[in-house]
């Protein structure tokens, strides 16, 4: 009975217990499946992210492969075009410390006719801020033709902090630091993280910004068949009318119809003029850009979300991370960049250039590009903009769909573009802006289709109506003093327009009106060059003459906080807000400072201000010296990309040279003086005057016992060197050239000199007797210590067909004798396989300069090439890959 009851009770309890067990098992199974599903989803997300990155790399690799095939097959790559209503078609390239202020006199001397540039001249002497060592993040596609990246190792302490650079820094053993971002180098973990972060922010389709994924990739499949990059290798060769005489082993080359006879070495094989010499196996990659263009350009400094500041110099737009000391470069432009604008998303950038030397490839236009991948998204205005792009601005109230630009032509035309259209931009409206100069144009940040422009004697408020017609209302100054220039624009948080003018006043224009709401007089002595609206509502104004930075509150009431930058940095050109309280200040003397109003400012970027002609690499260390018409002699460190010291020599410099032991630095000046400095202490060791014409070139002999000075008065002066470069005794002068001396070389035994002149002569001299060696054949087997003479047998191939004798400004070769490089009048740096004895020699050509390249030099270990621009005042450092 008891057993029966127990069985009954167990039977009655079993259904409930069974259901509980089922529910528990079911919940456990769901939790297990949920956890597994979540893990699988996370794994799939990671896999999708990796696949997206792999697709990006595959597209880029395919693009490079097709371009290489095009080059091998000798076919001209197909191009994509933008056609305007007038029928003009543009082909798109997808490549992307003086202690006082000086007044520069107008130069009484000019070189042979060079191409024009939009640069002016002032003076500067600055010192360089040093930062910690960091690895460059590079670009997402480091082999993109329109991009380059580099790093900066740990530099030594700032030269401004000590009276002279420390000796250990100068005598440290030279080590090659080829650490540029490249395909065969594994980046650091920090680099990987940052690269992935950039990649994730590069997909603008998620925000609906761009209609097609081709705008978000580094190399679009639609842009595979594009013309070669201006900065990529372009294979060219000359086809002069050369004659080879087998009997005496001489080549007769004609430059501007004048025959030049060059003798081949005795062991040289017979020359076949029909053969084409191959290009060099090495390539150049832009590693670092020294300089900034603040002397005559406005609104050219911005901070990006990546922590980089973006600015421009010459034909390069630089993205520079000051904290990490690394640069990336957009090199899609072919001539002077004059303005830039940043899209509201802070990732797309528009940059406008002026007309260049080439009528087809260097027409003025605007390039819109991705600041993450450095890929070109659109090319706008080619064939329509007449002279240069003076101003450019993205619309801000509609998410950046429109782009406004102002032509610097006689009518100062303003045009508005839909830059994202598939046809690479569509012009919505275009009209004459002003007969006077326009210096700034900005879209209103809150009101759609509203544009404000200002310039000489005016400020204008534009409206783009529904029928795409631009209407203008001029600002009314009423009875107040009308300024000569309205120099800059800004906006407060209420949408009111703030303008600064040449009288030093700030004016608030009510939102939606063309009348003055508030006037603040005498904020600055001289013109107000920049107005920066801060995130907290404050406003900072910068004075172009007094160098003052003044902080106002949101209602434009002075807060009492201000700062003054040091006078030798120049005046304030532009102010940009950094992180926290930090500000970036671009100056009128081509430097960029960073800091805050309380603690002051230190330089982050500096460079020359006027034409740069002198450039010389140290004989043993990774350093180089530069000198220019701004009266500055500067010593640079090529590894830390910083200035060791900067000195005002009070003379416009034309050339510079190192002694062979590195203990003396000679500078030739425009006045005919030449000075010798001690590099460690910067003391003046000696000074001499030879004639009144500019000193064109200086070279020390290999044994360091002589120095040769080539002057514009047609003479070469020879001096004996004593006391380790401190005492110089003139031996004589070489007479025989009928034009000014341009280049010279010493023989390896220091017995002979060869020289070129302005009338394309090649003459030889006995250095100890200062007598001409009239027989060039007698010196055919002499080995030369340098190859600076472009008119020589080993440099026949550097002269293109129909070349003017002044086209090639500088020539040099590596110390191991494998490569040669030239700088020409067209802003190109060319790389050849040395010797360049074949008249038809292929080369790799690189852009970046926007003016004539005045000098090129290799560092002593041949890992880097340096080039100096003339009017663009830029120094470019190239990595030899």
């Amino acid at each position: 009975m008891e057993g029966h009851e127990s069985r009954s009770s167990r039977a009655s309890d079993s259904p409930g217990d069974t259901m509980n067990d089922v529910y528990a098992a079911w919940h456990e199974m769901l939790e297990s499946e949920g956890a597994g599903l979540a893990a699988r989803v996370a794994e799939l997300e990671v896999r999708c992210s990796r696949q997206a990155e792999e697709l990006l790399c595959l597209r880029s690799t395919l693009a490079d492969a097709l371009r290489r095939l095009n080059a091998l097959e000798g076919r001209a790559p197909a191009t994509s075009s933008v056609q305007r209503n007038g029928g003009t078609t543009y082909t798109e390239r997808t490549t992307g410390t003086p202690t006082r202020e000086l007044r520069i006199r107008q130069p009484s001397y000019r070189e042979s006719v060079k191409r024009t540039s939009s640069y002016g001249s002032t003076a500067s002497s600055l010192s360089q801020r040093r930062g910690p060592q960091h690895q460059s993040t590079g670009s997402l596609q480091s082999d993109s033709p329109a991009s380059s990246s580099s790093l900066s190792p740990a530099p030594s302490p700032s030269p401004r902090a000590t009276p002279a650079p420390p000796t250990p820094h100068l005598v440290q053993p030279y080590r090659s630091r080829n650490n540029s971002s490249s395909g065969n180098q594994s980046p650091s973990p920090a680099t990987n993280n940052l690269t992935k972060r950039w990649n994730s922010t590069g997909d603008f389709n998620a925000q609906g910004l761009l209609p097609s994924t081709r705008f978000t990739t580094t190399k679009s499949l639609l842009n595979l068949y594009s013309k070669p990059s201006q900065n990529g290798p372009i294979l060219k060769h000359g086809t002069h009318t050369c004659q080879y005489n087998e009997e005496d082993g001489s080549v007769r080359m004609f430059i501007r119809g004048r025959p030049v006879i060059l003798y081949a070495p005795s062991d040289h094989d017979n020359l076949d003029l029909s053969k084409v010499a191959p290009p060099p196996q090495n390539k150049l990659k832009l590693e670092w850009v020294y300089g900034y263009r603040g002397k005559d350009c406005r609104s050219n400094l911005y901070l990006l979300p990546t922590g980089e500041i973006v600015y421009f110099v010459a034909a390069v737009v630089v993205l520079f991370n000051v904290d990490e000391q690394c640069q990336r470069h957009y090199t899609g432009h072919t001539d002077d960049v004059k303005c830039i604008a940043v899209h509201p998303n802070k990732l797309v950038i528009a940059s406008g250039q002026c007309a260049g030397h080439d009528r087809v490839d260097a027409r003025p236009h605007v390039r819109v590009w991705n600041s993450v991948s450095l890929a070109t998204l659109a090319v706008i205005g080619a064939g329509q903009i007449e002279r240069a792009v003076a101003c450019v601005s993205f619309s801000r109230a509609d998410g950046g769909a429109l782009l406004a630009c102002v032509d610097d032509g006689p009518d100062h035309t303003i045009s508005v573009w839909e830059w994202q259209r598939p046809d690479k931009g569509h012009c919505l409206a275009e009209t004459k802006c002003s007969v006077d100069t326009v210096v700034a144009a900005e879209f209103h940040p809150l009101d759609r289709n509203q544009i404000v422009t200002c310039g000489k004697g005016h400020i204008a408020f534009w409206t783009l109506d529904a029928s795409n017609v631009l209407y203008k209302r001029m600002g009314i100054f009423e009875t107040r003093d009308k300024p000569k220039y309205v120099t800059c624009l800004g906006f407060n948080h209420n949408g009111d327009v703030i303008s600064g003018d040449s009288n030093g006043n700030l004016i608030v224009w009510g939102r939606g009106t063309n009348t003055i709401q508030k006037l603040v007089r005498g904020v600055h002595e001289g013109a107000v060059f920049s107005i920066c609206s801060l995130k907290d509502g404050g406003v900072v104004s910068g004075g172009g003459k007094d160098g003052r930075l003044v902080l106002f509150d949101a209602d434009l009431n002075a807060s009492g906080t201000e700062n003054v930058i040091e006078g030798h940095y120049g005046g304030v050109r532009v102010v940009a807000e950094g992180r926290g309280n930090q500000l970036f200040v671009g100056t009128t003397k081509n430097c960029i400072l960073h800091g805050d109003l309380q603690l002051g400012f230190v330089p982050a970027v500096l460079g020359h201000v006027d034409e740069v002609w002198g450039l010389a690499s140290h004989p043993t260390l990774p350093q180089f010296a530069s000198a220019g018409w701004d009266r500055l002699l500067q010593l640079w460190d090529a590894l830390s990309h910083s200035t060791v010291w900067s000195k005002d020599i009070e003379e416009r410099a034309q050339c510079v040279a190192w002694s062979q032991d590195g203990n003396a630095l000679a500078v030739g000046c425009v006045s005919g003086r030449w000075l010798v400095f001690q590099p460690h202490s910067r003391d003046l060791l000696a000074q001499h005057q030879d004639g009144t014409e500019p000193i064109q070139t200086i070279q020390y002999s290999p044994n360091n016992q002589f120095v040769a000075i080539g002057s514009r008065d047609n003479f070469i002066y020879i001096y004996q060197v004593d006391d380790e470069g401190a005492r110089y005794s003139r031996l004589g002068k070489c007479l025989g050239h009928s034009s000014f001396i341009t280049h010279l070389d010493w023989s390896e035994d220091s017995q002979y000199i060869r020289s070129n002149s302005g009338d394309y002569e090649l003459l030889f001299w006995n250095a100890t007797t200062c007598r001409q060696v009239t027989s060039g054949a007698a010196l055919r087997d002499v080995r030369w210590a340098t190859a600076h003479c472009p008119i020589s047998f080993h440099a026949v191939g550097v002269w293109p067909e129909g070349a003017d004798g002044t086209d090639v400004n500088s020539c040099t070769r590596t110390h191991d004798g494998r490569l040669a490089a030239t700088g020409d009048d067209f802003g190109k740096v060319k790389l050849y396989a040395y010797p360049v004895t074949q008249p038809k020699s292929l080369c790799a050509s690189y852009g970046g300069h926007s003016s004539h390249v005045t000098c090129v030099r290799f560092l002593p270990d041949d890992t880097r090439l340096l080039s100096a621009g003339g009017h663009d005042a830029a120094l470019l450092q190239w990595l030899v890959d």
Side-chain angles (χ1 to χ4, degrees), residues 108-111 612-615 627-629 649 651-657 665-676 686-700 707-719 730 732-733 739-744 756 854-855 857:
S108 58
Y109 151 74
R110 299 293 294 180
E111 269 294 331
V612 181
W613 285 89
L615 180 66
W629 288 8
I649 62 174
E651 290 272 357
R652 287 197 297 155
Q654 186 69 21
C655 57
V656 62
L665 188 59
V667 183
C669 304
V670 172
S671 63
R673 294 179 64 204
W674 55 279
L675 315 171
V676 182
Q687 58 179 323
H688 295 270
Q689 180 87 32
D690 286 308
T692 58
E693 296 291 321
I695 303 299
Q696 299 282 102
T697 179
I698 295 181
Q699 292 294 328
Y700 282 86
V707 63
I709 292 95
S711 173
R712 198 171 177 84
D713 63 8
N714 305 356
F715 302 139
I716 299 175
Y717 301 89
I718 309 295
Y719 282 78
R730 185 162 136 178
K733 64 180 179 180
S739 185
F740 57 90
I741 313 301
T742 57
H743 310 85
L744 59 84
N756 290 162
T854 56
C855 194
R857 292 291 184 266

Side-chain angles (χ1 to χ4, degrees), residues 296-300 302 338-341 388-394 396 404-408 412-415 433-434 436-444 450-462 472-474 484-491 497-501 509 528-532 573-574:
D296 59 354
C297 289
R298 306 164 188 270
S299 301
N300 55 3
Y302 299 93
K338 299 297 294 293
C339 56
I340 53 177
V389 183
C391 315
V392 65
S393 176
F394 281 104
R396 298 158 69 179
C405 64
V406 177
D407 185 2
D408 198 24
H412 299 97
T413 303
I414 181 172
S415 54
C433 183
S434 171
D436 296 317
T437 303
V438 178
V439 300
E442 294 286 345
F443 267 97
H444 198 283
Q450 302 294 314
I451 307 172
V452 184
T453 63
C454 68
K456 184 177 181 180
H458 77 277
I459 181 171
F461 302 87
W462 299 81
K472 177 173 67 172
R473 292 179 300 162
M474 299 299 295
K484 185 176 181 180
Y485 269 89
V486 179
T487 50
C488 56
L489 294 173
F491 301 90
V497 179
I498 307 174
S499 67
D501 58 40
W509 305 81
V528 184
F529 272 2
S530 181
I531 296 174
C532 177
R573 172 63 70 186
V574 61

Side-chain angles (χ1 to χ4, degrees), residues 511-539:
R511 178 177 177 180
T513 71
N514 61 339
T515 57
I516 295 176
Q517 179 176 304
K518 184 175 182 179
L519 171 65
V520 184
R521 293 183 180 273
V523 176
H524 293 277
E525 178 185 351
V528 184
F529 272 2
S530 181
I531 296 174
C532 177
S533 297
L534 306 178
K535 292 187 290 289
D536 61 3
V539 175

Side-chain angles (χ1 to χ4, degrees), residues 200-348:
S200 65
T201 58
D203 186 4
F204 305 122
N205 283 332
Q207 291 84 24
L209 171 65
L210 300 178
S212 172
T213 56
R214 63 193 178 92
F215 288 122
T216 64
T217 58
T218 304
K219 291 291 191 307
S220 159
L221 292 177
L222 298 179
N223 292 327
L224 295 180
Y225 291 95
S226 61
K227 294 182 68 176
S229 161
Q230 283 297 106
N231 196 46
I234 301 176
L235 304 182
K236 299 179 179 179
H237 63 80
T239 54
H240 348 259
T241 305
C242 287
Q243 301 171 359
Y244 179 65
N245 189 330
E246 295 184 5
E247 295 182 0
D248 59 0
S250 66
V251 173
R252 181 186 294 265
M253 181 178 69
F254 295 86
I255 299 180
R256 296 197 68 178
R258 177 166 184 160
V260 181
I261 299 178
L262 310 170
Y263 291 93
S266 301
D267 58 355
H268 192 275
D269 297 333
N270 289 339
L271 190 64
D272 185 356
L273 299 181
S274 62
K275 287 185 178 180
V276 178
Q281 295 182 351
N282 299 86
K283 305 298 179 185
L284 296 180
K285 179 183 178 182
L286 184 58
E287 181 184 28
W288 202 264
V289 176
Y290 301 90
Y292 157 74
R293 183 167 180 171
K295 59 192 297 185
D296 59 354
C297 289
R298 306 164 188 270
S299 301
N300 55 3
L301 179 63
Y302 299 93
L303 178 70
L304 301 179
T306 56
E308 299 166 306
I309 54 174
V310 56
Y311 58 94
F312 57 81
V313 62
V316 181
V317 183
V318 182
L319 299 98
F320 178 33
N321 191 312
V322 178
D323 295 331
E324 298 183 6
Q325 286 292 301
C326 62
Q327 282 187 359
R328 297 187 298 136
H329 313 102
Y330 177 75
T331 55
H333 286 282
T334 55
D335 212 272
D336 283 307
V337 181
K338 299 297 294 293
C339 56
I340 53 177
V342 178
H343 194 276
N345 66 7
K346 303 296 184 182
L347 295 172
V348 173

Side-chain angles (χ1 to χ4, degrees), residues 175 362 546 589:
R175 296 175 298 158
D546 58 15
K589 290 188 177 178

